[in-house]
Amino acid sequence: MFPEKQATRDADHQVRNGHRVPAIRQFLNVIGCALAIPLYYLTTAHSRYPVTLDIIITIAFTELNRYVIEGCRMAFFGQHQHQRDGRDTPDEIDEKAAIYSESQPEPPRLECLAAVVGWREDPSLYARALESYKSSSACVFLLAGIDGDDAEDQDMARVFKKIYPEQSAVIQIPEPFGEVAERVRANVIAQNRHHDHPVDDQEADAITMKYCIELAKGILVEHNLRIGAPGGVRHLCLKQRHMHKKGIMFTAYVFSLVIADILGVEFLWSSDSDTIVFPDSLERTINTIAADPGAGGASSGLVVHNSQETTITKLASAVYWGELYLTRSTPACTGTSDCQSGPSTAFRLAALPEILIPWYLQKALGKRMIVNEDRHLTTNLLLRGWKVMFASDVLTATDTPTTMARWLKQQVRWARATHIESLLHPRVYATSHPLLFYGMAKREFGPAIGAIAIIWYFFTSQQLVVFSMSDLLLRVVIGSCYNIVRNPDRLTGEGLLWVVPSILFYYIPLPAVHLWSMMTMGADGWGTSMRASGERARRESLKKAWFETGFFVVWMGILSGVLAKILGLYFGIVWHERMAAIIVSSLLGSFGAWSITIGAS
């Protein structure tokens, strides 16, 4: 059931697992990072139009990324064509050339295993998500992971069996593999210390990973699924005791390694239970890395499939269209995309065995981390010299929060993960192109400076940063025009009406989200509840609500006060009247923010 693979493939995996970025390259990367600091300073502090200049630079990098990923696809199809032409005339190849050809690694196969994980998902949405994989020709095996085995979790298993009634199976995992890995690794380290052997983390990780893989093989053999055989299982659902998303991802990835080895598949597509793929989402994301053995991962662009549900989803959809498409492209043109988005990620399976254990057991600020799973996977790839691509011209549809409170919680959770990976793993900048550091500096320092400047002005009336309305307006016009022409997500006329409001919707809370998430990096709550009716009905405590969105209430009070102060100075209102206007405006702003977040939850 578990045939041996070609020696060339095993050798390739060993080479890649042993690969590290050369010291001279790391030195040059550090020099490049040092040069990025004055470059960023010159494009901001010494420019009359810093925001406009920034969007022009971002557009240039976005276009370069489009050029790079198209080149990757051309390389893949060229390689495939060369192999096919070589097979057309075997009689013309002499014996020596034939032997040489047979000794070369197999070309990349555009087939993948898809792993879809979730917990207490809305049944109708989960059904749509699973159904969408039927249209993908690249998906040869579907692995669904359910993080929960209580009565409330059976809906997802029933949906899975309904969508895939044939060649499918549901397996109950006796113990989450994350817990198994943690226990085995601790035992390995304890034994080494008991025998006074030096503790080698990489060796402990390798032993733990091998144990988990053998355990997964045993479970598959026990259930006699006949994977890879005619009529065998092609759709498998794994259930385990509820932990968290990272826990079910780890279990699913271990099983994916085993199943992919049986099928001879080289790529894994990873997604969430609320994500809907298009017919070409998997194939066109994977073919950006298929021809390059040094490319370990890629992700696609995202659109919102529930954009018409509420006003918040319409605004969020326009944010995805206008902002995320551009901002994610900046470092990606050098193969250093710093976030493989959870809903739409592809991996070269050869890259996973070495990184899964350190990824799952990550600690930051003295705590185990469970909410930054996608970013930390990306960081682990970059630290080991793998390229990470962003297929910006490929789309996958994801779900977005329907209320302001849930949207803010999601943004804070994402921002915390960004801070942790950007600030607490400085070694990644030595192993990656300096453009990764440049993108980090712009993302981390820009909103923080803006937040501090606004708060400073509110309390002192002193300007730390000069904002130019013409600069901001020009930035909006240039960014919107570019997106209309080049964005693969073609907005309708109605959708375009939400573009300008979405800019305010995104950028007004951004400095506060950035500052609050930085101050609370160690918080490990998921923030938003799952979409199953039982989870949505649960109300959170007032204390928790204030912790998660109270910063927005305070921030809107400050912004409203700043606006009143500016208008008071402009119209020359006397001091005591201006102070009264500031107080009233701040109270109204805070009340409005409270009513759409804490008050509405």
Side-chain angles (χ1 to χ4, degrees):
M1 184 176 179
F2 300 98
E4 294 294 324
K5 299 302 173 185
Q6 295 181 356
T8 53
R9 182 180 175 190
D10 292 338
D12 180 63
H13 288 194
Q14 292 174 5
V15 170
R16 285 305 311 168
N17 287 344
H19 172 73
R20 291 295 182 272
V21 179
I24 183 63
R25 175 63 184 273
Q26 294 190 44
F27 174 76
L28 293 175
N29 287 340
V30 171
I31 296 298
C33 292
L35 295 175
I37 297 174
L39 176 63
Y40 177 65
Y41 181 76
L42 289 174
T43 58
T44 53
H46 287 272
S47 173
R48 291 186 61 188
Y49 293 92
V51 180
T52 301
L53 180 59
D54 174 72
I55 193 63
I56 292 173
I57 294 174
T58 301
I59 288 173
F61 284 134
T62 302
E63 283 298 300
L64 180 58
N65 182 58
R66 292 280 291 265
Y67 175 81
V68 168
I69 60 176
E70 194 57 39
C72 292
R73 294 193 184 108
M74 291 175 65
F76 169 76
F77 290 118
Q79 184 185 72
H80 181 72
Q81 182 67 36
H82 176 74
Q83 182 210 18
R84 188 180 65 181
D85 293 345
R87 287 200 304 263
D88 286 343
T89 56
D91 295 335
E92 297 177 9
I93 305 176
D94 59 28
E95 181 178 356
K96 182 176 180 180
I99 294 174
Y100 172 78
S101 176
E102 291 175 0
S103 69
Q104 299 307 298
E106 286 290 324
R109 296 175 58 189
L110 258 185
E111 294 179 341
C112 72
L113 184 151
V116 182
V117 301
W119 176 62
R120 296 190 182 174
E121 188 59 81
D122 175 72
S124 61
L125 178 54
Y126 189 47
R128 291 177 61 198
L130 294 179
E131 186 76 34
S132 68
Y133 284 88
K134 293 182 177 180
S135 66
S136 174
S137 60
C139 180
V140 296
F141 194 97
L142 179 71
L143 180 65
I146 301 176
D147 183 41
D149 55 3
D150 295 332
E152 295 176 87
D153 302 303
Q154 300 312 310
D155 283 345
M156 292 182 68
R158 283 192 287 268
V159 168
F160 174 83
K161 289 297 293 182
K162 180 180 179 181
I163 300 300
Y164 295 104
E166 300 178 352
Q167 293 184 275
S168 65
V170 178
I171 293 179
Q172 175 69 49
I173 305 300
E175 182 181 10
F177 272 38
E179 293 182 350
V180 173
E182 192 169 4
R183 184 177 64 253
V184 170
R185 191 180 189 278
N187 289 339
V188 170
I189 293 175
Q191 289 179 11
N192 284 343
R193 288 175 176 167
H194 178 73
H195 295 93
D196 295 325
H197 294 162
V199 176
D200 187 324
D201 288 338
Q202 292 185 354
E203 181 184 1
D205 292 343
I207 293 173
T208 304
M209 194 68 224
K210 183 178 180 181
Y211 182 91
C212 291
I213 287 176
E214 292 301 321
L215 181 60
K217 287 181 179 180
I219 292 175
L220 292 179
V221 169
E222 177 186 352
H223 287 82
N224 190 28
L225 303 179
R226 301 177 61 247
I227 295 173
V233 167
R234 295 183 56 242
H235 317 100
L236 178 62
C237 177
L238 304 176
K239 297 191 301 177
Q240 69 178 29
R241 175 169 44 80
H242 173 55
M243 292 181 67
H244 37 66
K245 183 182 177 183
K246 205 171 189 179
I248 189 61
M249 285 176 68
F250 181 81
T251 299
Y253 286 175
V254 173
F255 273 88
S256 296
L257 288 169
V258 175
I259 295 171
D261 191 55
I262 298 170
L263 300 175
V265 172
E266 296 185 44
F267 303 102
L268 169 68
W269 171 270
S270 177
S271 189
D272 297 335
S273 56
D274 63 349
T275 301
I276 298 172
V277 299
F278 298 116
D280 65 346
S281 296
L282 280 65
E283 182 177 2
R284 296 190 67 227
T285 302
I286 293 170
N287 65 24
T288 62
I289 61 175
D292 185 355
S299 60
S300 77
L302 290 171
V303 294
V304 175
H305 61 67
N306 63 328
S307 60
Q308 299 303 310
E309 194 168 345
T310 66
T311 299
I312 298 299
T313 60
K314 292 177 181 178
L315 291 167
S317 178
V319 169
Y320 276 71
W321 177 83
E323 300 298 329
L324 299 187
Y325 165 71
L326 287 167
T327 55
R328 289 186 60 195
S329 297
T330 298
C333 59
T334 59
T336 54
S337 176
D338 59 353
C339 179
Q340 292 178 276
S341 180
S344 57
T345 293
F347 294 100
R348 186 180 297 274
L349 283 159
L352 288 183
E354 189 183 16
I355 71 173
L356 285 183
I357 300 297
W359 163 73
Y360 180 76
L361 298 178
Q362 179 200 14
K363 283 189 176 181
L365 304 174
K367 300 181 63 176
R368 282 285 301 276
M369 301 306 300
I370 62 171
V371 297
N372 61 328
E373 70 290 333
D374 47 3
R375 279 195 174 272
H376 195 54
L377 273 170
T378 310
T379 299
N380 273 281
L381 289 175
L382 294 174
L383 281 170
R384 289 159 179 79
W386 293 95
K387 295 178 185 177
V388 180
M389 313 299 291
F390 172 46
S392 60
D393 61 346
V394 184
L395 299 177
T396 305
T398 188
D399 186 88
T400 196
T402 57
T403 67
M404 188 67 186
R406 290 173 63 87
W407 166 264
L408 289 172
K409 292 173 187 176
Q410 182 193 68
Q411 297 302 303
V412 169
R413 187 179 76 245
W414 288 355
R416 285 176 183 145
T418 300
H419 300 323
I420 289 169
E421 300 304 315
S422 299
L423 303 177
L424 302 185
H425 297 279
R427 193 165 62 88
V428 74
Y429 303 115
T431 60
S432 306
H433 192 280
L435 195 57
L436 177 66
F437 180 83
Y438 175 82
M440 180 279 297
K442 184 174 70 170
R443 181 184 61 238
E444 289 294 311
F445 297 124
I449 292 172
I452 293 171
I454 290 172
I455 294 171
W456 184 261
Y457 181 80
F458 177 77
F459 288 106
T460 69
S461 299
Q462 296 178 357
Q463 286 186 273
L464 296 180
V465 178
V466 178
F467 295 96
S468 169
M469 290 304 298
S470 59
D471 185 23
L472 296 173
L473 181 61
L474 191 57
R475 190 265 184 213
V476 171
V477 171
I478 292 176
S480 299
C481 290
Y482 171 76
N483 274 297
I484 291 172
V485 174
R486 291 289 288 165
N487 197 312
D489 179 17
R490 316 308 296 181
L491 284 189
T492 62
E494 181 183 355
L496 290 172
L497 297 177
W498 292 94
V499 171
V500 173
S502 73
I503 294 173
L504 300 176
F505 171 74
Y506 181 69
Y507 279 102
I508 286 178
L510 177 62
V513 167
H514 193 85
L515 207 58
W516 178 248
S517 59
M518 190 175 289
M519 294 167 60
T520 59
M521 275 196 293
D524 56 2
W526 195 253
T528 55
S529 62
M530 291 309 294
R531 283 159 288 268
S533 57
E535 292 299 309
R536 283 181 177 270
R538 296 180 181 177
R539 297 182 63 85
E540 62 185 5
S541 67
L542 185 61
K543 180 181 179 181
K544 184 179 180 182
W546 270 103
F547 176 79
E548 292 180 337
T549 57
F551 73 92
F552 180 66
V553 176
V554 176
W555 177 250
M556 291 307 296
I558 291 174
L559 278 185
S560 300
V562 166
L563 180 60
K565 181 178 287 190
I566 292 173
L567 292 176
L569 291 173
Y570 181 80
F571 290 108
I573 299 176
V574 296
W575 180 86
H576 65 277
E577 292 179 348
R578 189 165 66 248
M579 286 301 299
I582 292 172
I583 293 172
V584 172
S585 181
S586 296
L587 291 174
L588 290 175
S590 293
F591 176 77
W594 174 87
S595 64
I596 62 174
T597 54
I598 299 172
S601 62

